[in-house]
Every structure is written in C-alpha cells, then in structure tokens.
Amino acid sequence: TAFVCMEGVGHKYDLSPNAPMAVQDINLNIHRHEFVAVVGPSGCGKSTLLRMVAGLLIPSHGSVSIFNNPVVEPRDDVGIVFQKANLLPWLNVKKNVLFPLKHKYGRYSKDDEKRADELLNMAGLSQFSEKMPDELSGGMQQRVGIVRALLLNPDILLMDEPFSALDALTREQIGFDLLKIWHEKPKTVLFITHSINEAVLLADRILVMSKRPGSVLDLIKVDLPRP
Ligand code: ADP
Ligand code: ADP
C-alpha cells in the first residue's frame, strides 16, 4: 500500500458555485522512502497540494491519507520546510534546531543534542552551531531549517520551494548536502520546486503539474533511474 495516497482530490478556495478549482482530479500514490518532486508553473497548485498532505488544508473534494489514515490535521510524523527558514533570531543555530523538541516535550536529551550535532555536520554547519541566525547566509539558514525538520525524525518530509530564494550555486550545494542526508536515512519526501534541475538532481520521481485554461490539472509521471 502507498504511504501517501490522494484519491480524486480537488480544492476550491472559494466555495461559490462558479469559482474555479485551484486543483482538480489529483490521484497520487507516494511510496515509503520515495523522493518525489513536483514541478510546474506558478499558480498551478503545487503549494495547495503540499498543504493538503501536510494537513494544513482539508480538500473540498476527495481524500488524502497517510498510511491509510485520513489526514485531518497536521501530524507529528510529517515535517515541513518552507521557502524561508524563519529561525528564531534570539537563539543560536543549535538551539534553533533543538527548539521544536524543547517546545514539544519541554526538554531535549543528550542524544538529541548528539543527533543535532551529527545533522549539522552533515549539512556542513558544524562550525556554525554557536552562531546566531543573522550571522549566517540565506543558504545556511535554509540548511538549518532542514536540519530542524529532520531532527524531529519525521516519516515524511514536505518541502515547499525550500531553495527558491537562493542563488543557483548555493542551491546546487544544498541539494547535494540534502541528498547525502537522504541517503544516510531515507525518508518519504515530497519536494515542491520551480526548478526542473533540482527535481532531476534530487528526485526518484517527478510529477509535472500544468494548468490549462479552465484550471484543469495534469499529472505526468516520469520515472528516473537513481545515479
Ligand atoms: P503554486 O504553488 O503552484 O504556485 P498555489 O497552490 O499557490 O500554486 O495556487 C493554486 C491556485 O489557488 C492559484 O490560482 C492561486 O491563486 C489559488 N490560491 C492559492 N492559495 C489561495 C488562497 N489562500 N485563497 C484563494 N486562492 C488561493
Ligand atoms: P525505518 O526502519 O525505515 O525507520 P520504521 O521503523 O519507521 O522504518 O517503520 C517500520 C515499519 O512500520 C514500516 O515499514 C511500516 O510498515 C510501519 N510504519 C511506519 N510508520 C508508520 C505509521 N506512521 N503508521 C503505521 N505504520 C507505520
């Protein structure tokens, strides 16, 4: 069975009868540990799709489930990375990545700290763990955001254009770092991007969303061999 399953999913933000569907007729299965990228032009519904998997948006049509459970709210086992890391400016890098654990459980353990160090190291940030966010470049801040999401050890990682604010070179470097981390500990990943290059570099499978007049949605599946 698929890990993430969308059946007949569509969404209308505006429920008046003549309003257009933002997305429509999405049937999608993502398998456990699959890395799926979604590409498509602005406004085709990529973020809408991701927010429905995240439980941040309940679709007006169809159903979304994770491991056979309908998604009705955000889940602890689903991590999300947005375009901006939104780090807490008064905490250093390490405290930022540990913050969700602290917030959730009131504390974190020595093991959590060790894992934070490991992940920061894999993300090329070990020398920066005591720095404050505003001492880091945008690319580094994004990496910190990814490490923060991974530290919660989610089964599923959702990323909504995580690198789009970065320059091409930085994007590529972070992409490689992310791949390294992904190979160490595979996760089910849904990765939204404008960039077909990023999708080809990172994903097992690329979904192409397009928007024709009349707001019809196409999903085209391309299976890629992994390098
Ligand atoms: P993408 O992420 O591919 O740029 P979105 O999912 O953001 O696309 O948007 C898909 C469609 O839904 C667009 O037509 C957009 O204008 C509309 N839309 C997105 N968010 C909202 C919202 N909160 N309220 C109303 N319409 C929205
Ligand atoms: P891994 O060894 O890759 O970390 P887990 O220990 O997280 O995998 O999961 C082991 C098995 O438990 C999975 O193959 C799956 O069948 C099941 N499983 C994992 N996550 C869930 C979940 N959220 N709900 C139900 N079953 C799950």
Side-chain angles (χ1 to χ4, degrees):
T1 59
F3 202 61
V4 179
C5 178
M6 303 182 90
E7 278 178 333
V9 170
H11 190 71
K12 254 184 174 186
Y13 283 99
D14 174 353
L15 290 177
S16 62
N18 297 323
M21 302 283 287
V23 295
Q24 176 170 309
D25 296 331
I26 301 177
N27 292 294
L28 172 60
N29 288 319
I30 300 174
H31 296 287
R32 191 163 167 77
H33 296 176
E34 198 174 20
F35 195 133
V36 173
V38 180
V39 298
S42 227
C44 71
K46 302 183 294 299
S47 292
T48 301
L49 175 89
L50 180 128
R51 290 170 61 219
M52 294 189 293
V53 177
L56 297 171
L57 176 69
I58 304 304
S60 54
H61 300 69
S63 68
V64 181
S65 61
I66 293 177
F67 231 89
N68 289 326
N69 295 312
V71 176
V72 292
E73 60 185 358
R75 297 164 52 113
D76 283 348
D77 55 0
V78 176
I80 313 178
V81 176
F82 292 105
Q83 187 173 334
K84 278 203 63 195
N86 292 316
L87 303 178
L88 299 170
W90 58 88
L91 294 179
N92 72 23
V93 164
K94 190 159 160 190
K95 293 210 162 115
N96 258 285
V97 301
L98 287 162
F99 181 80
L101 283 171
K102 175 130 192 201
H103 182 72
K104 203 166 137 196
Y105 303 111
R107 60 182 296 278
Y108 46 79
S109 64
K110 279 271 170 269
D111 271 359
D112 294 328
E113 280 196 64
K114 202 169 137 236
R115 281 206 341 106
D117 288 335
E118 277 167 17
L119 284 168
L120 287 169
N121 187 32
M122 270 196 266
L125 289 164
S126 43
Q127 309 96 294
F128 298 91
S129 61
E130 308 295 323
K131 298 261 191 245
M132 302 305 279
D134 68 1
E135 298 178 83
L136 305 187
S137 68
M140 287 179 181
Q141 293 185 27
Q142 266 319 83
R143 285 180 219 214
V144 176
I146 292 169
V147 169
R148 179 180 56 190
L150 289 172
L151 197 58
L152 287 167
N153 202 20
D155 287 332
I156 303 177
L157 186 62
L158 306 175
M159 293 191 278
D160 193 349
E161 309 219 13
F163 311 140
S164 63
L166 310 176
D167 63 86
L169 216 69
T170 312
R171 278 210 302 261
E172 185 153 316
Q173 186 53 51
I174 297 191
F176 281 119
D177 289 342
L178 181 62
L179 259 193
K180 221 165 53 194
I181 292 175
W182 189 85
H183 277 292
E184 296 274 320
K185 188 144 179 39
K187 301 241 164 250
T188 308
V189 180
L190 183 64
F191 180 85
I192 306 279
T193 178
H194 268 106
S195 159
I196 190 76
N197 287 337
E198 264 170 33
V200 169
L201 172 69
L202 295 170
D204 295 314
R205 180 150 68 103
I206 302 176
L207 302 172
V208 182
M209 283 175 88
S210 65
K211 194 169 188 173
R212 296 196 295 252
S215 84
V216 178
L217 173 80
D218 281 348
L219 282 175
I220 303 165
K221 196 180 93 163
V222 185
D223 282 306
L224 294 177
R226 265 214 172 266

